[in-house]
Amino acid sequence: MSTAERAGSPGAGDGTSTGARPAAGEGEGEGDTPDGKGATAAASAGVDHRAARLPDPPFTAEHEELRGSIRRWVETELQPHVQEWEDAEWVPSSVFRRAGELGFLGLAYPAELGGQGGGPIHEAVLQQELARSGSAGLAAALGAPITIATPPILKFGTPEQQVRWVPPVLAGEKVAALAITEPGTGSDVAGVQTTARKVDGGFVVTGEKCYITGGVRADHLVAAVKTKDADPPARHGGISFLVIERPPAPEGSEDDPAALGADRGDGITARPLQKLGWHASDTALISLQDVFVPDDHLLGELHGAFKLIMSNFAWERISMALGAVAGMEAVLETTKAYVAQRRAFGRRIADFQGTRWALAEMGTKAEACRALTFAALRKHELGVVTPMEVAQVKLLTQRAMVEVADGCLQLHGGAGYMKEYGIERALRDARLGPIGGGTDEIMKDVIGRLMGV
């Protein structure tokens, strides 16, 4: 049975995919005029503009079948509620359970842990389709627990730890959050100041974590902590990963951020932060005051978390690139439809040369990002992607998403500034891309150093 078959489907549909590319020659011919005569000429030359779409490498027919199922779910069960969840700054817990019920949270996880037994390409399909929901906050809320928080447990946890913490997340019953960033460190991962003091039977953790996706609702945190002092040249050697569990939330509070974030007698408080974008996703400032963590919650080797964190960045950054590529496609589709029907000065906005040129530039930029992203995805699946390639794809796609969203808003004119078309949300959401997961400046420095500069 394929991964697509094991993952449930919420209903029937045509399975049209963003991963499917036009057959050769599909689209308007060179030198097309607004009346479409160029396209007619191309057709008469033997180009079939109605040819079937083919999957884009590295996607196969199985992945496209899965895409159809996920897209139907997104369009029928998520998109109708996006504005409601954006306004509430919260995605209901029932949505996580529904995603788990359909098998979408465990696409890349082994069956023995409750997953679907697929690989990164299957999860890539999910990332793309969630990005097309129109809310990066929704995509982050559902995606972060499986994309960045749980992989360290899967890769480096003991069998007992995997059985304890992975299946509930894949079922949508519990939420995990990755807790690395701190108020005073930002992108300086090796500079974490949250301490874990060794005591009999475990550790006592004290410090703060900030900008933590899903931190308010998280049932457990995969947290980077300082377990020993290290000299500046080797300061990364004093960091460890601890899984910090929270006690059960008060009954009836699963969708009450204030109650979920309050101290439950464990010394942990989580406060939601107000953001420019990603409104549907809770982003938390977490305070840890003398929190006891048992010895068996240590993930990997003591003082050995830095290399685990670095290994986790590759998939996080490729996932962000996948989301940006899908997001660019979505806003371009919306914009093309808008300029085709909006009229000014007696003709369609689409009929102005400036409009076509703007769309041509943005479409080319999106296509370049797609090519680089899919190349990195293929290499990641094979285990041969390099840190430079990951940094390059992250750097290119995140800034491009901002520029494309801004260009599409401009073509909407005043309407783009309104909530109705979702373009203003796309621009707000996109602005986190050049910051989160490693800033543009960090990516440039990584690339430059690896170039030998």
Side-chain angles (χ1 to χ4, degrees):
M1 182 181 291
S2 71
T3 301
E5 290 171 324
R6 285 194 293 272
S9 174
D14 62 8
T16 302
S17 99
T18 54
R21 306 298 296 140
E26 185 174 350
E28 293 187 346
E30 285 188 16
D32 270 347
T33 55
D35 61 6
K37 290 179 181 178
T40 303
S44 66
V47 178
D48 183 3
H49 294 274
R50 296 166 296 179
R53 289 178 177 269
L54 300 175
D56 231 340
F59 301 98
T60 67
E62 177 191 337
H63 297 117
E64 297 311 314
E65 179 184 354
L66 173 65
R67 189 186 305 281
S69 295
I70 297 175
R71 183 169 295 188
R72 289 191 292 273
W73 172 60
V74 169
E75 291 179 345
T76 60
E77 299 185 31
L78 302 186
Q79 283 182 333
H81 303 286
V82 159
Q83 191 58 58
E84 172 190 349
W85 299 338
E86 285 279 312
D87 292 341
E89 299 186 353
W90 191 259
V91 177
S93 297
S94 59
V95 178
F96 290 79
R97 291 192 292 271
R98 177 60 170 159
E101 173 190 335
L102 292 170
F104 295 154
L105 299 181
L107 293 171
Y109 288 79
E112 57 267 28
L113 292 176
Q116 304 303 313
I121 309 298
H122 295 93
E123 189 171 299
V125 174
L126 176 67
Q127 300 296 344
Q128 289 178 302
E129 295 307 309
L130 286 177
R132 291 178 58 87
S133 70
S135 168
L138 169 61
L142 291 173
I146 59 170
T147 302
I148 61 174
T150 303
I153 299 175
L154 179 66
K155 294 178 184 177
F156 309 112
T158 65
E160 293 77 16
Q161 289 173 330
Q162 293 171 352
V163 169
R164 179 173 184 174
W165 290 309
V166 174
V169 172
L170 305 188
E173 296 170 355
K174 291 191 175 182
V175 173
L178 184 67
I180 296 176
T181 306
E182 298 181 358
T185 60
S187 296
D188 183 11
V189 174
V192 298
Q193 295 301 307
T194 295
T195 60
R197 176 171 50 88
K198 190 69 181 75
V199 296
D200 186 31
F203 303 84
V204 173
V205 178
T206 300
E208 279 190 325
K209 298 293 181 179
C210 68
Y211 313 141
I212 306 305
T213 301
V216 172
R217 74 190 321 147
D219 295 283
H220 59 263
L221 307 170
V222 180
V225 297
K226 186 177 181 180
T227 45
K228 75 171 183 179
D229 290 323
D231 295 331
R235 62 198 179 111
H236 59 275
I239 302 172
S240 301
F241 252 151
L242 293 178
V243 179
I244 304 176
E245 280 188 306
R246 300 214 63 188
E251 186 175 352
S253 66
E254 68 173 9
D255 288 320
D256 183 345
L260 290 174
D263 191 331
R264 304 174 196 172
D266 55 355
I268 301 174
T269 58
R271 177 173 63 84
L273 299 172
Q274 301 299 304
K275 312 181 295 294
L276 172 69
W278 283 33
H279 288 174
S281 168
D282 84 78
T283 303
L285 174 65
I286 300 175
S287 175
L288 305 154
Q289 295 296 324
D290 296 328
V291 179
F292 177 75
V293 181
D295 277 328
D296 62 1
H297 287 216
L298 174 67
L299 193 61
E301 298 177 356
L302 185 66
H303 316 315
F306 187 80
K307 61 183 179 182
L308 311 189
I309 295 169
M310 291 299 103
S311 71
N312 208 42
F313 272 140
W315 184 235
E316 177 182 5
R317 290 167 178 168
I318 292 172
S319 295
M320 291 179 70
L322 288 162
V325 169
M328 282 185 268
E329 291 173 345
V331 294
L332 282 169
E333 288 172 10
T334 298
T335 303
K336 286 189 292 183
Y338 179 81
V339 299
Q341 58 84 29
R342 174 81 166 104
R343 300 185 67 84
F345 302 100
R347 54 178 170 161
R348 302 181 311 157
I349 297 294
D351 294 333
F352 289 95
Q353 185 182 61
T355 301
R356 291 196 298 274
W357 284 13
L359 288 170
E361 289 179 351
M362 291 188 288
T364 301
K365 185 174 295 184
E367 192 65 26
C369 289
R370 168 196 283 273
L372 195 64
T373 298
F374 286 2
L377 177 59
R378 286 193 293 271
K379 289 186 175 182
H380 177 76
E381 185 184 33
L382 296 173
V384 297
V385 71
T386 67
M388 178 185 285
E389 290 166 330
V390 171
Q392 287 173 331
V393 75
K394 203 275 184 183
L395 175 65
L396 178 67
T397 59
Q398 303 312 297
R399 182 60 62 179
M401 178 69 221
V402 176
E403 293 169 352
V404 169
D406 187 43
C408 286
L409 190 153
Q410 188 70 24
L411 289 179
H412 278 74
Y417 203 68
M418 303 297 115
K419 287 186 176 181
E420 179 182 355
Y421 293 93
I423 298 296
E424 55 83 32
R425 184 193 308 133
L427 180 55
R428 287 188 289 101
D429 286 348
R431 193 57 189 84
L432 181 63
I435 300 172
T439 65
D440 278 3
E441 292 73 22
I442 294 292
M443 295 303 98
K444 291 175 184 177
D445 199 54
V446 168
I447 295 166
R449 289 175 184 273
L450 292 175
M451 289 175 65
V453 179

